[in-house]
Amino acid sequence: MMFWFAVLCLAGVAGFTMLVPVLRRGEKAQARHEYALEIFEDQLAEVDRDEQRGLISGPEAQAARTEIKRRMLSAGKTQADGGSAPQSAALLVIAAIVIPLAGAGLYTITGTPGMPSIPFAERGEEQNEAREINTLTSRLRQRLDEDPNGGEAEGWELLAVTYMRMNRYTDAAYAFEKLTQRDDATSGDFSRLAEALITAENGIVTPRAQAAVDRARALDPQNPAGTYYAAIALDQAGQTLDGRKLLLDRIAAASQLEPWMDVFLQQANRMGAGFGLDPVSLPPFASAVGAAPSVGPSAEDVEAAGELSEEDRSEFIRSMVTRLSDRLQDNPDDLDGWLQLARARLVLGETDLARDALIAAKRLSDALPEDDPKRQMVESGLEQLQ
């Protein structure tokens, strides 16, 4: 209640502030007009006296009277034109009333008038906590920097993660870089370094971030974060379709649903939209692939793929899908394998082959109860591809 009372008071003050100058301007204009008329009347009387005393001739007196009367008419016309001031004042009155009411109405829709205020004491506690975190973080960084052995990996990781949560991305990149300089640095360390560097530059993949991405993918070609930022880099370099293909190929190579797939699909669809490509989505039967034999590479495959180019790596992923298809020809009773193949084919844009895989899966799912999730997934997938 106090909030709305304060709003009304502020609206009243704002309206009064807008109207006072206009009203005063109208009063001053009227006073100036009346004063000018008095001067003109005195001038006419002065001309009459000068004519009577013989100081000016009759024609001169008449010319002077004509000029003075012309000025009186001009002043009267100016005052008449100024008659729009009351109308302007009326418009300002309406604006002074309507604008605050409209603002209050908009705030009730988009604002949070019901949110309780935060007591000053609690704000003080938050500030003290923030200062304490900053102090502890500074101490941890100092201790790690001064460690002659380079500091513990766990300490640098904690420091980096803390900096990320504090939105201090440049400092986070410094800490992640310390991790990547160790002999046991992982692909995840490099991809997190890339994330910090890219975030610090408002989403721009700098050469330094690109180097971190490349290293992350060299250590693990299947690292989703490395693949994601590699696709973003391709998009920014003008190779948008290559970036889209990289994202979709990585989804197709997955052996089960993963949390990062939604983000991959969003980016892939954003990239494809600029070229008029239809959006891609995961079919509802995709969640059945968890128990399927992996389409992903073996340890030897991963090591070999690290030396491949982008084009060769994409072909490598497609070869793995083909490998699964060949295996299913020898083991046609693997329902999960057919579901996995159908999803991979669909993500790769091979709709007809995805439908063929679902038809093969339906032969097996028909033997399941009607309420079995896998049977429902197969039927839903076939309906989607009709």
Side-chain angles (χ1 to χ4, degrees), residues 1 12 38-39 60 62 64-65 69 80 144 174 232 288 336:
M1 194 65 182
E38 291 179 1
I39 293 175
E60 290 176 339
Q62 184 61 35
R65 292 189 189 97
K69 290 179 180 180
L144 292 171
Y174 172 83
I232 297 298
D336 289 329

Side-chain angles (χ1 to χ4, degrees), residues 1-227:
M1 194 65 182
M2 289 296 296
F3 171 80
W4 291 112
F5 177 74
V7 169
L8 291 175
C9 290
L10 291 174
V13 171
F16 180 76
T17 304
M18 294 170 61
L19 291 177
V20 167
V22 177
L23 296 177
R24 287 183 175 176
R25 184 177 59 190
E27 293 175 357
K28 291 180 179 178
Q30 181 65 27
R32 285 196 300 269
H33 177 66
E34 293 176 356
Y35 180 68
L37 289 179
E38 291 179 1
I39 293 175
F40 291 142
E41 289 174 356
D42 289 342
Q43 289 176 344
L44 287 174
E46 184 69 22
V47 169
D48 290 340
R49 287 192 295 271
D50 289 345
E51 184 181 13
Q52 291 175 1
R53 290 195 299 266
L55 297 176
I56 59 175
S57 63
E60 290 176 339
Q62 184 61 35
R65 292 189 189 97
T66 301
E67 176 61 22
I68 293 171
K69 290 179 180 180
R70 184 188 66 78
R71 293 179 181 179
M72 292 177 68
L73 290 174
S74 177
K77 182 179 179 181
T78 301
Q79 177 65 16
D81 293 341
S84 60
Q87 182 179 1
S88 300
L91 291 176
L92 280 174
V93 171
I94 295 174
I97 296 173
V98 172
I99 291 176
L101 291 177
L106 181 63
Y107 179 72
T108 58
I109 296 174
T110 62
T112 55
M115 178 175 290
S117 61
I118 301 176
F120 179 77
E122 293 185 13
R123 292 198 295 268
E125 292 176 3
E126 290 181 359
Q127 294 171 356
N128 290 334
E129 183 179 353
R131 282 194 293 268
E132 184 177 356
I133 292 176
N134 281 327
T135 301
L136 293 174
T137 303
S138 298
R139 289 177 181 173
L140 175 59
R141 178 168 178 171
Q142 182 179 4
R143 182 174 64 81
L144 292 171
D145 280 331
E146 294 176 352
D147 189 331
N149 297 321
E152 310 93 336
E154 295 79 3
W156 285 115
E157 184 172 10
L158 175 60
L159 183 64
V161 172
T162 303
Y163 278 142
M164 290 293 287
R165 291 175 179 172
M166 297 168 67
N167 298 328
R168 295 172 59 176
Y169 302 114
T170 301
D171 290 328
Y174 172 83
F176 278 129
E177 194 163 35
K178 290 293 185 179
L179 281 174
T180 61
Q181 293 171 355
R182 306 175 74 91
D183 294 336
D184 58 349
T186 66
S187 174
D189 293 333
F190 281 96
S191 61
R192 287 190 294 176
L193 170 60
E195 179 184 2
L197 291 170
I198 294 169
T199 307
E201 296 297 331
N202 297 317
I204 302 300
V205 183
T206 62
R208 186 179 170 196
Q210 181 69 67
V213 171
D214 293 342
R215 184 58 179 154
R217 301 194 67 208
L219 290 172
D220 180 9
Q222 298 303 305
N223 180 350
T227 302

Side-chain angles (χ1 to χ4, degrees), residues 295 315-328 341 345 348 350:
V295 177
E315 291 301 321
F316 176 73
I317 293 173
R318 290 180 180 272
S319 70
M320 290 188 293
V321 176
T322 302
R323 189 186 310 168
L324 173 62
S325 177
D326 293 341
R327 186 184 59 75
L328 288 171
L341 180 62
R345 294 291 194 191
L348 291 173
E350 300 171 348

Side-chain angles (χ1 to χ4, degrees), residues 324-344:
L324 173 62
S325 177
D326 293 341
R327 186 184 59 75
L328 288 171
Q329 298 302 320
D330 298 330
N331 185 21
D333 295 331
D334 183 358
L335 175 58
D336 289 329
W338 287 113
L339 286 170
Q340 184 178 0
L341 180 62
R343 178 179 62 82

